[in-house]
Amino acid sequence: MKINDYILAEKSIHNYAKIIGEISNLYLLKQDDFSHTNMVWDSDKKVLKSREIVLPNNFIATIEYHPNHFHFHIATNCPKLKEPMVLTRNNNLNYIIKTFQNNLNLIGLEGGKIQNMDLPYPEYLSYTEKPFLPSKNAIHLFEKIRTNVNNTLLELLTHNNFKSEVRIWPYNFDTGIYCKHPDGLEQFGGYAPADAISEFPYFYNSFYKDGKAFLPNINQQLDFGYWMNSNWKGVIYPFKEPNEVDLFLSNGALFLKQTTNKFLNK
């Protein structure tokens, strides 16, 4: 597999994650930071999962997307409700929206709220054409990376006694943490797909002090990755070779630990 195959897979899955974010924005209590739209990667089930939506009968539901099985699943703890699916393989965005409208009606929500959707990569999921389908190998690599990143960030939080959720944001599609530290420092760290910062997927770490991007002594040598001091300020460690994914993930964990310590002057 080439790295571009994996990048295309992440772009494709990003579209479906954005659908979860759009639905969450309609049925969850809105937060100023839009955290109600973000989701978690369930490492056991290998699914993207929304926050809990309270149904009219006071039971709860979550919207899940299974990349490897090409379907959404509306999971609920209500024993009297079926748990409907929305199949995405070979189905366009019109089909997905109409099926969600019907299925959300079945669990007591107003499905008609869902109309048009603003997707990051409409060339891979349009209203009228069949969607782009990533290869199974690329999807399995996605599952492996997101599971490992999720566990790495949880370990970083636990080891340092930091407080944060580990969430996936529908806009950037990064798996990240947000931590508040003493002396007005804020940390944004995690893993992101290829974007304007890097042409390759990458681990990242960035800090802000009193609301402004903050860099330590960037002349300090890093074992992995490199500093960036341009429009975006921070440090990244790119993923360039799928055949070396295990090395990338193990080095990425060390990268996050080392750079966090440098930012915090430990």
Side-chain angles (χ1 to χ4, degrees):
M1 182 197 315
K2 296 181 179 179
I3 187 63
N4 193 54
D5 296 325
Y6 177 68
I7 290 173
L8 289 177
E10 282 204 306
K11 288 180 177 180
S12 172
I13 299 169
H14 188 174
N15 280 330
Y16 300 103
K18 187 63 160 49
I19 290 173
I20 292 179
E22 296 267 354
I23 294 174
S24 298
N25 195 43
L26 292 172
Y27 299 103
L28 283 163
L29 181 65
K30 289 179 170 54
Q31 304 297 320
D32 291 340
D33 62 358
F34 291 93
S35 57
H36 61 291
T37 67
N38 65 29
M39 62 208 75
V40 68
W41 174 252
D42 187 318
S43 297
D44 294 325
K45 296 170 66 176
K46 301 293 189 294
V47 299
L48 296 163
K49 183 164 65 175
S50 73
R51 294 189 184 273
E52 293 180 346
I53 300 170
V54 179
L55 303 178
N57 59 9
N58 291 323
F59 286 95
I60 60 171
T62 56
I63 311 298
E64 301 177 355
Y65 183 66
H66 300 242
N68 190 43
H69 299 295
F70 299 104
H71 73 251
F72 289 96
H73 174 221
I74 303 176
T76 173
N77 65 344
C78 180
K80 295 183 180 180
L81 293 177
K82 294 182 178 180
E83 297 188 341
M85 292 192 303
V86 180
L87 304 179
T88 61
R89 182 195 292 270
N90 297 327
N91 288 320
N92 60 36
L93 187 55
N94 271 330
Y95 173 89
I96 291 171
I97 290 174
K98 290 178 181 178
T99 308
F100 259 120
Q101 289 172 340
N102 293 333
N103 287 346
L104 290 172
N105 285 335
L106 291 176
I107 63 171
L109 296 175
E110 186 181 341
K113 285 184 176 183
I114 301 177
Q115 296 295 326
N116 297 331
M117 292 195 177
D118 182 21
L119 300 184
Y121 300 103
E123 64 270 33
Y124 301 127
L125 177 60
S126 73
Y127 284 95
T128 58
E129 304 298 324
K130 289 184 178 181
F132 166 76
L133 295 180
S135 70
K136 283 290 187 176
N137 285 341
I139 293 172
H140 291 319
L141 183 58
F142 172 87
E143 293 175 328
K144 179 173 184 173
I145 289 176
R146 293 298 176 134
T147 296
N148 186 282
V149 169
N150 206 64
N151 294 338
T152 292
L153 290 172
L154 288 171
E155 182 181 341
L156 181 72
L157 294 171
T158 301
H159 178 76
N160 292 282
N161 199 28
F162 295 160
K163 292 184 178 180
S164 174
E165 295 181 297
V166 178
R167 305 295 294 182
I168 294 178
W169 291 81
Y171 181 76
N172 294 323
F173 201 39
D174 61 316
T175 298
I177 58 173
Y178 167 69
C179 301
K180 289 186 176 181
H181 300 293
D183 302 321
L185 284 177
E186 299 173 286
Q187 178 182 8
F188 300 84
Y191 163 89
D195 58 14
I197 294 173
S198 170
E199 64 177 312
F200 301 104
Y202 59 101
F203 280 100
Y204 68 92
N205 213 355
S206 64
F207 276 63
Y208 284 70
K209 184 175 177 64
D210 300 324
K212 295 182 179 180
F214 163 78
L215 286 174
N217 178 8
I218 61 174
N219 293 321
Q220 297 175 5
Q221 185 66 36
L222 295 173
D223 293 330
F224 311 104
Y226 52 88
W227 299 102
M228 296 191 66
N229 187 14
S230 54
N231 292 336
W232 183 86
K233 301 180 188 301
V235 59
I236 69 171
Y237 174 47
F239 175 46
K240 299 180 180 181
E241 179 47 66
N243 291 331
E244 298 178 358
V245 61
D246 291 330
L247 184 63
F248 169 73
L249 292 172
S250 60
N251 288 348
L254 297 174
F255 160 85
L256 287 171
K257 292 176 183 177
Q258 181 186 47
T259 56
T260 295
N261 288 339
K262 286 187 181 295
F263 274 111
L264 296 176
N265 197 28
K266 289 186 178 180

